[in-house]
Amino acid sequence: MRRLQKTPRIAGVPLTQKSAISLGKGVRDSLLNRKVDAKERGRRLSICHDCEHFNAPRCELCGCFMNFKTTLLSSECPIKKWSIATLSESSVNNSGETEKTE
């Protein structure tokens, strides 16, 4: 019987190709100040707080600090509870920040 190995982690973040790509997007969003508005951040954070994988202040699946990750435009939940697909294109301005649409 073959034993399953845990994914290696550095500082709580799993070392996978998917996590590296996600980290790169997060860095880009941080450098370009591409963030969601407060309403979207609150929605995302509320979903995280209700999740069985949330171990304040981090997600046990991706290892991210959710107070920060939920602000970034390109971020998404590793199990798709929230994602960038939930944002309408009209709610994002040229700087990458979301705007109110009425």
Side-chain angles (χ1 to χ4, degrees):
M1 187 170 187
R2 186 174 171 182
R3 185 180 265 180
L4 294 176
Q5 292 182 333
K6 280 188 155 184
T7 303
R9 292 176 174 252
I10 291 182
V13 179
L15 296 175
T16 63
Q17 183 178 12
K18 187 175 181 178
S19 64
I21 290 168
S22 178
L23 183 59
K25 289 178 181 179
V27 169
R28 181 186 67 217
D29 284 349
S30 291
L31 293 174
L32 298 175
N33 199 29
R34 295 174 41 160
K35 297 181 179 179
V36 297
D37 63 16
K39 183 177 178 182
E40 175 63 13
R41 179 187 180 270
R43 186 187 74 80
R44 291 176 175 189
L45 202 51
S46 175
I47 292 169
C48 292
H49 284 184
D50 293 337
C51 181
E52 67 275 14
H53 301 290
F54 182 70
N55 186 9
R58 298 176 106 168
C59 170
E60 292 176 340
L61 297 177
C62 65
C64 293
F65 290 96
M66 300 316 295
N67 283 336
F68 183 66
K69 182 176 183 173
T70 55
T71 66
L72 300 175
L73 184 66
S74 299
S75 293
E76 58 188 8
C77 169
I79 54 176
K80 307 294 186 214
K81 289 189 174 186
W82 54 267
S83 71
I84 57 174
T86 58
L87 293 173
S88 67
E89 286 186 30
S90 62
S91 67
V92 179
N93 66 23
N94 291 337
S95 69
E97 294 180 28
T98 58
E99 298 175 334
K100 289 186 179 181
T101 55
E102 299 182 36

